[in-house]
Amino acid sequence: MATDSQSIPAARIKRRSPVDAALRIRAYQFMVLLAIVALWQVGLWLGWLKPYVYGTPLGVVQSFAGHLADGSLLRHFWVTGFEVVIGFAIGCLFGSAGGLLLWLSPLWAKILHPYMIALNGVPKIALAPLIIVWFGLGMESKIAIASIITFIVAFLQAYKGTQEIDPDLIRLMKSLGASPWQTFRTIVVPGSLPWIVSALRLNVGFALIGAVVGEYISAEEGLGYMVYYAGQLYDLNSVWVGIFSLMIMALLLEAIVARFERSLDMEH
């Protein structure tokens, strides 16, 4: 007699393809978004939420369409995006390189250790007013804030990655007569890549925070300025438009980092 599992048609036990699984996840994500919007609207209808405090879904859509039609949203998005991307690139590049190169000099690593701990403990946003004074009120100061914040994170993560390399591999390279530079290039750098990628993911948010905080303090363009100015006017719908735009920017940057990570995995 055939077992129950043998009697099930092959078509019914066929596993779903990865494409079907991805589409199903996207559908669930969209349903969650619809549920949040529906609860928001129901709360407004029942009087639990006040429109002048929380805004309205329809008002957000209308505000989004208005800002898009007059070009202001795209201009603010581009300004903040430029600040974030340039600051992110500068901070991650120089921070990762500095953290990796510190492995070559244990003496300097010990000298800089307390400074690294101090910088890591200081709230990075506390540096924003100083940077505004140093670099002025233009776009340069926002790029500088994003660069400095991401530099610290990338530097510490890269150096931490070098300290997690298997000591046996280092001793093996020494026994084979490899120079410190050869060990650094063939063992330390590849072994530290997961830590560097982790720093990239963290720095997506930090770069956004740096640019937006700089725009809060002093700016005439950018999503941070848009949110701050709309908040001063109690235009909550425009505030939500700015917040949602920042979320979209974060998702785009995260997708780029994820693609970069996949390319590294394919190479290895």
Side-chain angles (χ1 to χ4, degrees), residues 100-181:
L100 290 173
L101 290 172
L102 201 60
W103 179 86
L104 293 171
S105 179
L107 174 61
W108 273 105
K110 293 178 181 179
I111 293 173
L112 296 177
H113 184 257
Y115 297 100
M116 290 189 290
I117 294 176
L119 283 174
N120 190 41
V122 172
K124 314 304 184 294
I125 301 305
L127 302 173
L130 290 174
I131 297 170
I132 294 291
V133 173
W134 294 340
F135 290 89
L137 304 178
M139 188 180 293
E140 295 81 2
S141 59
K142 287 71 175 178
I143 294 174
I145 296 172
S147 299
I148 291 174
I149 293 176
T150 54
F151 174 88
I152 294 171
V153 175
F155 184 91
L156 293 173
Q157 283 288 101
Y159 178 70
K160 181 65 175 177
T162 65
Q163 302 307 297
E164 297 297 322
I165 301 297
D166 189 350
D168 291 336
L169 291 176
I170 305 298
R171 286 192 287 268
L172 176 61
M173 293 296 290
K174 288 182 178 179
S175 67
L176 295 175
S179 67
W181 176 253

Side-chain angles (χ1 to χ4, degrees), residues 53-77:
V53 175
Y54 296 96
T56 66
L58 179 60
V60 172
V61 172
Q62 292 174 338
S63 179
F64 179 86
H67 286 293
L68 199 61
D70 64 17
S72 61
L73 181 59
L74 293 179
R75 186 178 71 255
H76 292 313
F77 192 93

Side-chain angles (χ1 to χ4, degrees), residues 9 20 27 33 47 49 75-76 92 101 125 139 142 171 186 189 191 198 206 209 213 222 231 235 239 241 253 258 264:
D20 292 338
L33 177 61
L49 304 177
R75 186 178 71 255
H76 292 313
C92 290
L101 290 172
I125 301 305
M139 188 180 293
K142 287 71 175 178
R171 286 192 287 268
T186 59
V189 173
S198 175
F206 283 122
I209 291 172
V213 167
D235 183 3
V239 170
V241 171
L253 292 172
L264 290 178

Side-chain angles (χ1 to χ4, degrees), residues 235-255:
D235 183 3
L236 277 300
N237 293 324
S238 293
V239 170
W240 281 116
V241 171
I243 292 173
F244 291 147
S245 298
L246 288 169
M247 291 180 180
I248 293 172
M249 187 179 296
L251 290 173
L252 291 174
L253 292 172
E254 175 67 23

Side-chain angles (χ1 to χ4, degrees), residues 20-37:
D20 292 338
L23 290 175
R24 189 170 69 255
I25 291 173
R26 293 290 182 270
Y28 290 153
Q29 291 171 340
F30 185 69
M31 290 170 62
V32 169
L33 177 61
L34 287 180
I36 293 173
V37 174

